[in-house]
Each structure stands twice: as structure tokens, then as C-alpha cells.
Amino acid sequence: FLAPPVAPAGSEMLHVSTTGGRQFDVELQEGETVATLKKKLFELIRESESQATSCGFKLLHGLEPLSDDWVLKEHGITANEQLTLVISLGPSGEYHFISSRLGRDGPAGRNTTASVKAEFQGDTVNISVHETEITSLIRGKCSDLYAMGERFAHDYTARVTCDDGEEGGLRLEVLECNQRGLIRNPKPEVLKARFQDDEVMLELPFAAGACNDGVAGLKWITLSKMTEAEANVDPFAPPDESDEDVGQPPAGPPERHRGPLERAMRYVLRR
């Protein structure tokens, strides 16, 4: 790890230790707030962090959590005090979002679906987005659905850093973006995300929505861990009998039994 900077002689110092055993000596400035101290620690840790991205800091004085807007000396935290830094690590592995194949809960509105996969590896994330939209019930056998504006694909590779202005916030600097389909959104340079309770909230530019008075644009969605079977659902497949609300007959009393004479009369009347 990189050694913390050496403070001038006679400086007032704070001693900060992490729950992982790392130690930092940080110069205590006049009027120093918890927020500015966190920024100093964030810069020190970002230079040497080799694990998953750090996306949240909490400072403790003993067992008391410190609020960002506190001035340290006004709350009895002076030179040579010992503080504890609790680091919340960012997401790691695969996270998924899959809307219903019924096209009712797509981020772009009715008659749309979306499937999103985000794979976090250290300070890099690869995001794949696939969208569908029903714009016509009539098409030829060789129709190119991407050219017709009924399917969209956009992939991103981004560098992940902590957004030190928001607890759990992540800044995704887009390094590469590939698109397929009639995508009118400009290629983004930065995406926003939040990580909380092992879920990733991600703001993405969705391309579908023409049937809903225009392109959906930026929308927040929540991605979570899924089993392999859940993650491999085909978002382009039509609804089947396993989907909810797919034309099931209404519940009601069973049809009464009809005798042979009544069935014969009904047959004659129908003719």
C-alpha cells in the first residue's frame, strides 16, 4: 500500500484505522468537517485499493457515527484522537434485471420489455441491454426487427469509481459503447449507479418507447443477483401458459350437468 503523506512538523494529526487493519495519520485542519476528512481518506484509499470498488465510508468516534456536516472540533474531536473508518465495498459479480414478457413493466412503458446484465470485476463493469417493442402486429417472414425499431441492443464497458458525494453512489465512466437498432439516444459518457443491500440501482438510456409517445430515455432500474435459470429467461420469447394473467378463465361455479334430452334439444336449436 502507498504510505500516507507526511504532515509538516507541529501539525495536529488524527489517527484513523479501518476495520481491515489499515492505519492512516491525517492532518487535522481548522474547521475540518467529517465530509472533508472522508474526501482525504477516499483519495488515499483510491490510490491503493486493490479490491472491489469502495462505494461508501462511515466514520466512527468510539461507537458514535459521525455526520458529514459536523465540524470535528465542535464535537470534541481534536488532535491525536482515534477514529474508525468502515468501508462499504461495491458490487462484485453478475446482477440482472428482466422485465415481464407480457410487456407491462418494461422501463420504456407498455408493449416493451428489457433485459439487463451488469458484470462487475474490480473497477470495471460490462453492461448488456436488450430491449423489445411491439409496434405492429403484421410483419413479413424476413423482417429485420432491429431495422424496424422493434429490437434494440446496447453494450457498455465502464470504469467504476466511488461517487464521494453520495453514500453508496457509483460513477461509471463509459470506455466503450456498441449499439444495434434504431437508437436515437446519444452515446453516454458517464452513467450513474447506487449500490445498497446487495442490489444495484442503475440509470440507463432506454431506446424503446416510440409507441408511448417517444423514446423512454434515462430510466432507473434495480438489478439483483439471480440463479442461472432466472438469468437465462429469453426476454424475446412470447408469453406462454406459465406467465401470469395470460387469458386464464375467470373463477366461477362449475358448469351444471346436462342430461341427454337437454343436450339433444340444444343441438337441434343450434342447427
Side-chain angles (χ1 to χ4, degrees):
F1 297 120
L2 298 177
V6 178
S11 299
E12 294 184 323
M13 303 296 293
L14 286 174
H15 309 295
V16 182
S17 60
T18 71
T19 52
R22 299 176 62 184
Q23 299 285 335
F24 297 95
D25 291 334
V26 184
E27 184 179 1
L28 177 60
Q29 303 282 354
E30 192 65 34
E32 187 93 76
T33 65
V34 174
T36 59
L37 178 58
K38 280 184 177 180
K39 287 185 178 181
K40 291 180 182 179
L41 294 166
F42 169 71
E43 292 299 330
L44 290 172
I45 290 176
R46 184 168 63 174
E47 294 297 325
S48 58
E49 189 65 70
S50 59
Q51 316 175 61
T53 302
S54 301
C55 68
F57 289 166
K58 182 182 293 185
L59 276 169
L60 306 177
H61 185 214
L63 297 177
E64 181 184 19
L66 307 182
S67 298
D68 284 352
D69 58 348
W70 285 5
V71 177
L72 293 170
K73 288 187 177 181
E74 291 179 2
H75 287 78
I77 301 171
T78 56
N80 297 316
E81 291 282 355
Q82 180 71 46
L83 303 179
T84 301
L85 178 65
V86 180
I87 302 173
S88 300
L89 294 181
S92 179
E94 292 185 6
Y95 294 79
H96 298 265
F97 169 89
I98 300 176
S99 65
S100 164
R101 289 182 294 179
L102 299 176
R104 296 177 181 174
D105 61 348
R110 61 185 176 85
N111 298 325
T112 71
T113 68
S115 172
V116 181
K117 172 185 172 182
E119 184 175 4
F120 291 85
Q121 296 180 333
D123 64 350
T124 303
V125 61
N126 293 303
I127 304 170
S128 297
V129 184
H130 297 276
E131 301 180 66
T132 71
E133 179 168 10
I134 299 174
T135 60
S136 174
L137 297 178
I138 302 174
R139 62 172 66 96
K141 292 183 178 180
C142 299
S143 298
D144 182 348
L145 299 182
Y146 289 94
M148 292 175 60
E150 294 199 5
R151 287 194 182 179
F152 313 87
H154 34 122
D155 301 326
Y156 308 90
T157 298
R159 180 181 294 111
V160 185
T161 58
C162 171
D163 180 357
D164 57 346
E166 179 181 4
E167 187 71 21
L170 297 171
R171 183 179 187 273
L172 312 183
E173 179 188 353
V174 178
L175 306 176
E176 183 178 352
C177 174
N178 297 307
Q179 299 176 334
R180 182 182 179 191
L182 300 178
I183 297 179
R184 298 178 178 86
N185 296 317
K187 292 185 177 182
E189 296 182 358
V190 176
L191 299 171
K192 296 180 181 179
R194 294 194 294 268
F195 182 58
Q196 186 176 3
D197 299 329
D198 207 25
E199 290 185 329
V200 175
M201 286 154 280
L202 185 59
E203 187 182 41
L204 289 170
F206 286 93
C211 62
N212 297 319
D213 300 323
V215 173
L218 288 171
K219 297 288 183 180
W220 284 94
I221 58 171
T222 300
L223 292 78
S224 57
K225 296 281 191 179
M226 289 186 178
T227 65
E228 184 176 355
E230 292 172 328
N232 287 334
V233 171
D234 181 3
F236 299 147
D240 56 32
E241 293 182 356
S242 64
D243 287 313
E244 59 181 8
D245 298 331
V246 185
Q248 296 296 328
E255 185 179 0
R256 65 185 180 85
H257 176 71
R258 296 186 174 90
L261 180 60
E262 184 176 356
R263 291 199 299 271
M265 290 295 296
R266 288 172 62 87
Y267 175 78
V268 171
L269 291 173
R270 283 199 300 269
R271 293 175 63 88

